[in-house]
Structure formats: C-alpha cells, structure tokens
Amino acid sequence: MSLLSNRLINWGMTKPRLVNSVHSLVDFIPPLRLAIERRVSTVMDENNKANEAGNSITHTKEDSTAALRDTTLTPFGKRIYAKLNAGIEINNKGSL
C-alpha cells in the first residue's frame, strides 16, 4: 500500500484518544470496521517484519558513543544521556 497511508496509520496508532474516537464511530458500521482492522493489521505486520529485520543488525557501545560524539547535545540532553548510561550500567550489573 501507500507509504503515506502507512505513516498515517502509524501516527494514528500512537494517539489513544483518536483510536477510541474512531472505534466509537465505526463500531456501528461493521464492514467499515473490518476494513480498517484489516488495513491496520497489515501495517502492524509490516512494522513487525521491519523491526525484526532491523534487530538482526548488531550495534556496539562504541558505535553509539561515536555517533553521539558527532552530534552536539544540549546540557539537558547531556544529563539525559548520563542518566541513561547510569541506568544501563545498573541494569547490566543486575543481570550478571
């Protein structure tokens, strides 16, 4: 299907209020509801396949650190980055 409609569905699925509103409107029209459900499930399947393909690529910590060094972070971004690294280290120590 169209890339634009896929992106629109992905955007809409991140908006719980919109999803609830659409459900309340189309629940009374079963053929339309089924068509929307089929279309959304197709997009979600495509997303899952793309995520599975993306997960097969391995990234090292050095890759992400180098990429982050290449970008300039704001002070707020640097604090978030430091907190994330601290959390990851704590998580790694707990899983060993």
Side-chain angles (χ1 to χ4, degrees), residues 2-94:
S2 158
L3 179 63
L4 180 62
S5 65
N6 288 1
R7 294 177 95 187
L8 185 61
I9 289 172
N10 285 329
W11 174 83
M13 292 302 292
T14 62
K15 310 290 184 208
R17 282 181 162 173
L18 178 63
V19 171
N20 289 337
S21 299
V22 169
H23 274 288
S24 66
L25 291 174
V26 300
D27 279 345
F28 301 107
I29 311 168
L32 178 60
R33 180 177 180 214
L34 291 173
I36 291 172
E37 286 177 352
R38 278 194 306 268
R39 183 68 181 108
V40 169
S41 69
T42 302
V43 171
M44 299 307 270
D45 288 343
E46 290 174 5
N47 289 344
N48 288 338
K49 289 177 186 174
N51 287 339
E52 289 172 3
N55 289 341
S56 64
I57 299 171
T58 58
H59 296 283
T60 63
K61 187 174 181 179
E62 291 79 25
D63 292 340
S64 61
T65 306
L68 210 61
R69 264 189 255 125
D70 294 340
T71 63
T72 57
L73 294 175
T74 64
F76 181 67
K78 289 177 184 177
R79 286 193 304 267
I80 292 173
Y81 181 71
K83 287 180 182 179
L84 284 172
N85 276 338
I88 289 170
E89 291 299 319
I90 290 170
N91 190 27
N92 287 343
K93 288 178 184 176

